[in-house]
Amino acid sequence: MLILKKTGWAGLLLSCLVAANADAQAVQPPLNDSEKALHVLNRLAYGPRPGDVDAVKRLGVKRYIEQQLNPDSLPLPPDLADRLSALPTYQLTATQLYQQYGPPSFPPNSATPEEKNMARQRANKDITPQTHFSRLWLATESPRQLQEVMTEFWFNHFNVFEGKEWVRYWNGEYEKDVLRPNALGNFRQLLGAVAHHPAMLYYLDNWLSSGVNTPEARGRFKGLNENYGRELLELHTMGVDSGYTQADVISLARILSGWTIDEKGMKEGQPAFIFNPRRHDGGDKIFLGQTIKGSGYQEGEQALDILARHPATAHFVAAKLVQYFVSDKPEPALTEKLARRFLSSNGDIKAVLHTLFDSPEFWARGNYQTQFKTPYQYVVSSLRATATPVLNVRPIDGVLNQLGQPLYGWLTPEGYKFSEEAWLNPDALLRRINFVNGLSNGKSPIARSDPPPPVPGAPPVAVAPNTAAPIDPQQLQQTLAPALTPHSLSTISAAPANLQVGLILGSPDFMKR
Amino acid sequence: MKRRDFIRHLGLTASGAILIPVGLSGCVVAPASKPQAKAKPAPAAPIVMVDSPLSYGSPLQRPHATGDGTPRMIVVFLRGAVDGLNVVVPHGDHNYYKARPGIAVSRPGTQNGAIDLTGYFGLHPALQALQPYWDDGRLAFVHASGSPDMSRSHFEAQDYMETGTPGQHNTRDGWMNRMLGVMPASTSPMQALTLGESVPRILTGRAVVANMPTGRDATRPTLIDRPEVSQAYAALYAEDAALGKSYRDGISARKELMADASSSEQKMANNGAPLPNGLSIDTARLGRLMRSNPDIRLGFVAVGGWDTHTNQGNGNGQLANRLRPLADGLTTLARELGPAFNDTVIVVMSEFGRTFRENGNGGTDHGHGNAMWLLGGNVRGRTIHGAWPGIDDKSLNEGRDLAITTDFRSVLATLAEKHMRIGDPAMQKLFPQYGAGNPHALNLLV
């Protein structure tokens, strides 16, 4: 009896295993065409707009990917281009922003506290909303979606915090002229452009850093500042566990001493970056086991070369890309493959992404509709799915704040996390649901521009009525069809009509990408 | 629905999972190696299990204790590495003034000088609001404490302090979450409350955590508070394991928060007290909730902006401007806890300290040893705990930082054991690899 029982149990176990195996195969068919289209729209873009899934299906996902990897082949719609060029501060260089939005608040200067305060408020009122508009218009409407996704990715990788004084003046320009053009370019070039930009020099204090006992090391420029050198190693290139030492951090800070902001030159229209040899530590340095001969400016370029082609950098960047595009828990084999491609292509970002989008891991059903959207991805994809025009950024800033991911608002240099662990929590789900319910009736303040500021003496301008129609649940359902499970579809269609749009956008399906 | 009824209702309708403190912010951790499902189902209504070996509220004789005897712990995490040497100032040491010509807090008795505590140590003047707690013996510091790991990376050091496993990257959960797992079972989804938008690392894990929105609008009713709406979503989320759990926990916590907050805010309004500002808005709410709901045993709040590489200031300036509202937030918290303050230990900690010498830019760089702050009715106050390593050249760590003489886990383990009454076997879970040989019997409590 006992034996029989044992055999019976083992037999049962065996048949379970077989069944489970069969099950595993049964539930893992390759993605169908609609699912593939949604997948690329969710990962290479910020989700589908109405009609996008069908358009990608017609085009074919392979061609869609090729187009996205070559953004210059995709013209910006004239209307979007016109709106961007109508943003006055969006056209300005870092130097012009400095000149026009002064008086400079770099201490010490002759500006009174009131003047500095007024300058700050003016920047806040003018530059910040224009920077936010440009990002959100491009994220919601640009056909070059992968370029936008990668711009956000690199902004986060090379994070600067808008709230730190002068960063607010320059973060838009940093994104427009450094990150976006290099987003699918060469990593070494990107790294160098970041290292020279005043937003980064200012944010991580390198502009203040001087070699010890150098001729112009005095006042606020007196000492060596390790901040940028450390983050450059830890966050921008090699990653924290890659074996560099505190001595390497100090060497790198010495190498980059004198890389600063040319405040005086900017007043005369010069570019922001300058190398000041009189604040540079000219001695020889040992950096990552190599001797760097004291040679002034060139040392910095040499150090960036070493970092950009370091295997640890390739690995660190590859792992981050896999985490962003494939899975929270990157499969090591794919990371390895991308790291090798990174090294063999000398840091060609497009080549690395090409390999990534070609990988079986990217297309595995186990990685389909499994990544929990970040608040930014959630908000932008909601605006896209409902084709809500962004006429007012303040309510978007408000909701991103509430969801814990304010635009340009991460204080510390490591940037936002892109993982479920960081973002999924009970309260967040409820806040997201409240947000999309506000979108559903077409009366969202996002789609209503602020009235122009009152002109003294003139009669008040009437507020334009919001003519947007409520979102049609049928159409939304069609836009997002491959994402919605049968359970969601039946639950939604059983619900009162006025809740349906909110239910689709607030569904577990739409929380994921 | 009254809270008690609500919980009973929960017990009847929700899945088994809700009966035990698992899951919650759920989905965030790897599958448990040992499923907690074996835990016995909790009773239908919350009770204080005075007979349990891990019991809360065992009537220990405590000089200050006038609360209900339910021990509570709140961690205030200062992200960015606060300069502990300017918080608890060694004003009796001329090395301090030599190393910090621009940013030292001047000696007691001078303008903007330190508030003298011990003749050698003094308190930053912006923390004046805390002085009465020091004088009453309810505020103490553990100086020269910190993590044995030498990382000077903010996020890595924070990670280690929040997981309680310095040097180990792959710890899945935070020590406060593990603490929930070894406390007596409760039916409440609100045993631990964190302020802010996301669940911090320290509370990530298997056990239920509620996070509370911050700011004035946190308890304003929203669409999801309407039953027909929350029910529609409940149906939608019924089949998604991870997100469904999160959704249900969110709704439960939301209802409890709304019920508790509205009643205590009602009382506030009746007293005509004005709402405080900034951090104090949130700590006031946290304090009131913890006072009125003994189920909530752990609280967490993070305060950022301590990474003072430039223009740190001395008795005035950037650091002072952050310390002042922090002191207000802490005193508000202590006040609003009411009698529960006597059952609470508030721990203020930061990931590491800063360099002993000021840098060329009037700031400090990433350093090592720091001061942990302890505030509470049963704290052995008016004391600087720990051993002072000294700040002469040969005593500094790597010639640049305050050395560490007390492992932060020693402080936390002492509080877990002596204050939260967590027994020996469970302590191993709380701070793994922090062996029994380590002293965690600091004399921190009266």
Side-chain angles (χ1 to χ4, degrees):
Chain A
M1 186 64 188
L2 190 66
I3 292 169
L4 264 180
K5 240 186 175 172
K6 265 189 172 169
T7 317
W9 190 77
L12 188 66
L13 185 67
L14 187 68
S15 59
C16 283
L17 282 173
V18 171
N21 246 337
D23 259 12
Q25 276 159 15
V27 298
Q28 294 282 325
L31 303 184
N32 66 35
D33 285 353
S34 301
E35 290 168 332
K36 280 183 180 169
L38 178 75
H39 192 54
V40 291
L41 284 162
N42 272 339
R43 303 289 173 99
L44 281 70
Y46 290 111
R49 289 178 69 91
D52 275 1
V53 170
D54 287 336
V56 172
K57 271 166 76 177
R58 277 197 303 274
L59 183 69
V61 288
K62 276 208 153 30
R63 281 189 60 203
Y64 177 79
I65 291 169
E66 282 308 320
Q67 284 186 350
Q68 290 299 318
L69 285 168
N70 296 287
D72 293 344
S73 68
L74 297 163
L76 285 191
D79 163 60
L80 173 60
D82 287 351
R83 270 183 286 144
L84 287 170
S85 54
L87 294 174
T89 67
Y90 188 71
Q91 319 309 320
L92 302 181
T93 64
T95 294
Q96 289 168 328
L97 286 159
Y98 174 88
Q99 290 175 327
Q100 294 184 24
Y101 282 88
S105 56
F106 289 109
N109 61 39
S110 53
T112 65
E114 289 73 37
E115 285 172 318
K116 286 182 190 172
N117 207 22
M118 272 175 59
R120 208 168 288 143
Q121 283 178 12
R122 216 161 66 83
N124 225 332
K125 190 168 74 57
D126 284 8
I127 305 174
T128 305
Q130 291 182 40
T131 301
H132 291 208
F133 265 128
S134 68
R135 164 70 87 83
L136 289 162
W137 284 344
L138 284 160
T140 52
E141 296 174 49
S142 171
R144 304 166 179 173
Q145 281 283 294
L146 180 61
Q147 187 180 48
E148 286 311 302
V149 164
M150 287 305 293
T151 299
E152 187 209 354
F153 177 88
W154 291 123
F155 196 105
N156 211 60
H157 185 87
F158 295 109
N159 185 49
V160 296
F161 170 55
E162 186 175 70
K164 183 166 173 176
E165 202 64 271
W166 275 94
V167 174
R168 180 181 305 284
Y169 296 61
W170 288 324
N171 63 333
E173 202 264 353
Y174 174 64
E175 177 170 303
K176 178 173 80 104
D177 289 343
V178 169
L179 304 178
R180 190 168 287 116
N182 289 303
L184 293 162
N186 178 275
F187 182 78
R188 171 63 182 86
Q189 227 164 342
L190 174 60
L191 187 68
V194 167
H196 288 80
H197 197 274
M200 184 57 78
L201 289 165
Y202 185 81
Y203 173 60
L204 289 178
D205 304 317
N206 204 75
W207 74 286
L208 291 166
S209 185
S210 306
V212 177
N213 296 328
T214 50
E216 288 185 9
R218 54 177 174 261
R220 64 198 154 131
F221 298 113
K222 202 174 88 195
L224 194 68
N225 198 307
E226 297 170 11
N227 205 9
Y228 176 57
R230 177 186 310 283
E231 307 303 5
L232 179 51
L233 282 162
E234 176 185 333
L235 300 170
H236 297 176
T237 58
M238 296 173 61
V240 71
D241 288 324
S242 52
Y244 62 84
T245 64
Q246 172 63 24
D248 291 319
V249 172
I250 293 173
S251 289
L252 188 52
R254 290 173 60 210
I255 288 168
L256 294 169
S257 57
W259 285 47
T260 190
I261 296 171
D262 185 12
E263 215 193 326
K264 223 170 95 197
M266 275 195 291
K267 285 181 187 147
E268 289 147 21
Q270 300 296 314
F273 175 82
I274 198 169
F275 173 73
N276 182 347
R278 295 174 60 77
R279 282 176 40 209
H280 177 72
D281 175 338
D284 294 349
K285 293 105 184 165
I286 309 269
F287 177 56
L288 298 172
Q290 303 188 37
T291 302
I292 308 261
K293 279 273 170 210
S295 60
Y297 170 75
Q298 212 42 46
E299 296 167 36
E301 295 291 345
Q302 201 182 335
L304 293 177
D305 285 342
I306 293 172
L307 289 171
R309 60 167 182 253
H310 200 287
T313 301
H315 200 269
F316 186 62
V317 173
K320 264 182 116 167
L321 287 170
V322 175
Q323 205 226 17
Y324 186 93
F325 284 104
V326 184
S327 157
D328 279 10
K329 290 169 195 67
E331 288 147 77
L334 180 57
T335 302
E336 275 314 309
K337 193 199 277 185
L338 297 192
R340 282 198 303 273
R341 189 73 191 104
F342 185 99
L343 291 171
S344 69
S345 66
N346 284 320
D348 181 340
I349 299 160
K350 193 203 290 189
V352 175
L353 287 177
H354 207 283
T355 306
L356 195 162
F357 300 142
D358 242 6
S359 71
E361 290 91 340
F362 179 75
W363 293 107
R365 182 165 290 278
N367 289 324
Y368 173 69
Q369 280 287 96
T370 45
Q371 287 193 301
F372 189 70
K373 290 176 182 173
T374 65
Y376 181 74
Q377 288 163 348
Y378 182 72
V379 168
V380 173
S381 62
S382 307
L383 298 173
R384 282 173 61 82
T386 53
T388 303
V390 177
L391 301 181
N392 190 344
V393 282
R394 279 185 306 171
I396 304 183
D397 286 341
V399 72
L400 286 172
N401 249 322
Q402 249 200 35
L403 294 174
Q405 198 181 16
L407 205 45
Y408 311 107
W410 186 255
L411 192 99
T412 45
E414 79 274 22
Y416 291 112
K417 294 188 174 64
F418 289 111
S419 67
E420 175 176 307
E421 187 171 273
W423 298 114
L424 175 55
N425 67 73
D427 185 53
L429 282 184
L430 305 191
R431 292 180 199 222
R432 288 179 182 203
I433 288 170
N434 277 328
F435 163 68
V436 289
N437 275 288
L439 270 188
S440 65
N441 58 12
K443 294 198 177 104
S444 167
I446 295 168
R448 187 169 59 228
S449 37
D450 271 351
V455 179
V461 183
V463 176
N466 189 336
T467 51
I471 314 292
D472 171 21
Q474 291 307 318
Q475 184 178 1
L476 183 63
Q477 194 171 309
Q478 209 174 341
T479 303
L480 298 172
L484 299 168
T485 61
H487 170 76
S488 296
L489 282 172
S490 64
T491 311
I492 291 160
S493 53
N498 64 337
L499 286 183
Q500 286 184 0
V501 168
L503 284 169
I504 295 172
L505 297 175
S507 68
D509 315 326
F510 193 68
M511 297 288 164
K512 300 177 209 166
R513 58 177 204 131
Chain B
M1 197 179 335
K2 292 205 171 70
R3 195 174 57 78
R4 208 163 268 264
D5 295 339
F6 163 67
I7 286 167
R8 194 170 292 128
H9 173 74
L10 245 187
L12 290 173
T13 57
S15 73
I18 199 78
L19 293 173
I20 50 169
V22 293
L24 143 85
S25 28
C27 48
V28 292
V29 281
S33 53
K34 246 188 274 166
Q36 287 226 324
K38 277 187 191 152
K40 45 187 176 302
I47 53 163
V48 177
M49 294 181 286
V50 283
D51 294 321
S52 138
L54 294 177
S55 83
Y56 282 71
S58 49
L60 187 76
Q61 276 308 312
R62 288 170 159 173
H64 297 292
T66 54
D68 61 9
T70 308
R72 300 156 169 100
M73 198 164 155
I74 299 171
V75 172
V76 178
F77 205 105
L78 307 183
R79 297 198 190 278
V82 69
D83 182 11
L85 285 163
N86 269 16
V87 169
V88 180
V89 179
H91 67 76
D93 200 319
H94 71 279
N95 284 321
Y96 170 76
Y97 290 98
K98 231 167 63 190
R100 298 183 160 208
I103 63 162
V105 177
S106 60
R107 292 186 172 83
T110 59
Q111 206 190 355
N112 271 315
I115 301 162
D116 185 47
L117 299 179
T118 68
Y120 179 87
F121 289 111
L123 195 61
H124 192 287
L127 299 175
Q128 196 178 11
L130 292 173
Q131 192 182 354
Y133 292 89
W134 174 268
D135 294 342
D136 285 5
R138 294 175 296 168
L139 171 66
F141 297 92
V142 187
H143 221 323
S145 57
S147 170
D149 188 85
M150 289 302 293
S151 175
R152 295 176 194 277
S153 147
H154 290 298
F155 90 88
E156 191 174 48
Q158 286 177 25
D159 197 65
Y160 291 156
M161 279 210 163
E162 294 183 65
T163 57
T165 56
Q168 234 188 300
H169 266 309
N170 49 2
T171 309
R172 299 293 313 181
D173 46 12
W175 64 263
M176 286 184 89
N177 195 285
R178 292 198 296 276
M179 187 180 261
L180 286 176
V182 296
M183 292 186 337
S186 159
T187 48
S188 171
M190 290 242 292
Q191 274 201 99
L193 197 54
T194 162
L195 295 173
E197 288 77 14
S198 49
V199 177
R201 191 77 167 92
I202 200 166
L203 273 162
T204 302
R206 231 185 274 145
V208 175
V209 176
N211 59 327
M212 187 170 73
T214 53
R216 285 177 197 280
D217 292 342
T219 50
R220 211 168 54 184
T222 60
L223 187 93
I224 200 74
D225 297 314
R226 282 164 44 191
E228 74 274 19
V229 177
S230 61
Q231 278 156 22
Y233 281 97
L236 194 58
Y237 275 80
E239 288 197 353
D240 191 298
L243 268 55
K245 178 86 185 82
S246 260
Y247 176 78
R248 289 186 295 277
D249 285 331
I251 290 290
S252 309
R254 176 86 191 154
K255 285 181 179 163
E256 208 166 331
L257 174 75
M258 294 296 280
D260 278 342
S262 64
S263 64
S264 51
E265 268 169 22
Q266 197 64 41
K267 276 184 236 144
M268 275 282 285
N270 289 345
N271 293 341
L275 268 175
N277 280 314
L279 177 65
S280 296
I281 294 181
D282 300 320
T283 55
R285 191 173 288 137
L286 179 67
R288 290 198 299 270
L289 275 166
M290 289 183 81
R291 173 177 63 189
S292 63
N293 181 355
D295 284 332
I296 309 172
R297 282 146 191 181
L298 301 182
F300 180 85
V301 55
V303 186
W306 307 97
D307 196 13
T308 47
H309 284 279
T310 65
N311 300 321
Q312 182 175 312
N314 42 34
N316 262 326
Q318 217 191 129
L319 180 64
N321 292 341
R322 297 210 71 89
L323 288 174
R324 204 165 291 115
L326 174 63
D328 291 342
L330 289 171
T331 53
T332 305
L333 178 58
R335 193 178 59 239
E336 295 295 333
L337 279 165
F341 179 66
N342 294 303
D343 301 315
T344 305
V345 176
I346 302 165
V347 184
V348 183
M349 57 196 283
S350 197
E351 67 265 29
F352 43 65
R354 307 197 71 83
T355 47
F356 174 55
R357 297 177 192 86
E358 73 182 59
N359 64 21
N361 312 135
T364 46
D365 292 309
H366 299 181
H368 204 50
N370 205 333
M372 289 171 84
W373 322 10
L374 304 175
L375 178 66
N378 288 309
V379 165
R380 185 178 298 280
R382 282 186 77 101
T383 308
I384 309 289
H385 296 278
W388 182 241
I391 43 177
D392 53 290
D393 282 344
K394 68 176 184 347
S395 310
L396 293 174
N397 169 57
E398 297 181 350
R400 57 181 259 162
D401 320 310
L402 181 62
I404 287 175
T405 54
T406 304
D407 190 313
F408 76 101
R409 291 169 298 180
S410 162
V411 177
L412 298 175
T414 299
L415 296 175
E417 189 179 307
K418 307 285 183 210
H419 175 65
M420 298 303 284
R421 335 233 88 217
I422 288 164
D424 243 7
M427 289 295 293
Q428 281 305 316
K429 280 191 200 154
L430 204 50
F431 296 106
Q433 297 182 328
Y434 187 66
N438 282 301
H440 46 81
L442 298 171
N443 200 7
L444 303 175
L445 302 165
V446 292

